Amino acid sequence: MRTVNRTDRLYALVEELRAVAPRPRSARWLASRFEVSTRTVERDISALQQSGTPIYAEPGRTGGYCLDKARTLPPVNLTPGEAVAMAMALKRLAGTPFRTEASSALRKLVAAMQEDDAAAAEALAGRVHFLEDPRDLPPIPRVLSDALVTRRVLRIGYGDRGGAETRRDIEPLGFVGKPEHWYLVAWCRLREEIRAFRADRITSVSVTAEVPPPRPLRREDLDIPYGVVEQLSLAE
C-alpha cells in the first residue's frame, strides 16, 4: 500500500480494524500494511483512543488492537446541507446538560465527512448567523431555507412596513435568525446592494435557473439592528 498522509491513515486504520472486528491486528501487521514503523502505529492508535474511538489492546502472542464495532459509525456521507442542519439542531441544546456531548458528536460527524464536503459545510455554516438566543426560532419556508444550497437567483415579492410590494431578483448570501423572524441576506438587483429581507415579508418566491456569481458575505454586511450577530459553527 502506498504511503498516505496521517489523516488518511487514521481513517484507514479504523476501517481496517472495523473490517476484521472483533479479531485483532498487531502493531507489526498494521505497520507493514501502511508502510510505517510500529512506533508510528502505536502513536496513531493512541491518538484515535484519545479522540474517543473504541479501540482496545488484546494481550498475548496472538493479540493486537481490536475495534468495538458496535460502538463506531460506518463511513458517513453527510452533505454540506445535512451537516449544517445537524449544527442547527444541536444548537438548540445550548444550556442543557448535553451541550458538551452534542458538540463532540458534531465534530465526529464532520471529521468523518469527505474533505471537500467538510470544507463546503464549513463555508455554508459561515453564512448562517443568529441574533439573540437561537433555540427558539420560527419556521422558514422550504424554498427559502434551500436558497443557499441550491444557489439560484430568486424572484420574490416583498412588502415593506407600509404594505407596499415590490418585485425583485435577489442572489441569496446568508441567513440571520432571531426569535421573531428570519432574515435572508441577499444581493438585491433592484437596489444594487446587499439587503436583509425579513422572511415573513416575502409574499411570493420562485426559483430561477440562473446561477449567480460568487459573492463574499462580510461581517459588515450583517449590520442588522437589535442584537449582536453570532455565526453558526461546526466546531463548538
Side-chain angles (χ1 to χ4, degrees), residues 89-103 133 135:
L90 293 176
K91 195 80 174 171
R92 294 176 179 267
L93 294 177
T96 74
F98 301 101
R99 174 170 183 164
T100 301
E101 287 78 5
S103 297
D133 193 337
R135 286 175 289 174

